[in-house]
Amino acid sequence: MPKKMQKRPEFAKVAECLYRNYSSGTYYALVKRKGRQIRRSLKTTDRKLAERRLKDFRQSADNLSKDTKDKRLT
């Protein structure tokens, strides 16, 4: 029987909350706020620029979580 081929993960962890897509080389931010996971493209293949954009994204995600109220029905 042939061995199953191991599939390489699509994203490689580069730094805290920073991931890189193997096929495109694009960096992504992955943060958790209020128990939800938010993943956004940083629209760059340059790591230094991605780190700066990640910092900005984390600040905006913090502001979003403060502004939104719980909209679930009870």
Side-chain angles (χ1 to χ4, degrees), residues 9-53:
E10 282 187 50
F11 295 94
K13 186 170 186 171
V14 177
E16 183 179 342
C17 301
L18 186 63
Y19 291 81
R20 186 171 180 265
N21 184 302
Y22 275 114
S23 62
S24 67
T26 304
Y27 286 92
Y28 286 80
L30 190 124
V31 296
K32 289 186 179 180
R33 297 292 182 263
K34 289 191 172 185
R36 290 187 168 202
Q37 188 175 5
I38 306 168
R39 183 177 68 207
R40 293 278 153 76
S41 172
L42 298 174
K43 298 181 179 167
T44 184
T45 57
D46 179 47
R47 180 167 178 175
K48 293 293 182 185
L49 179 58
E51 289 171 352
R52 290 192 300 270
R53 288 183 179 175

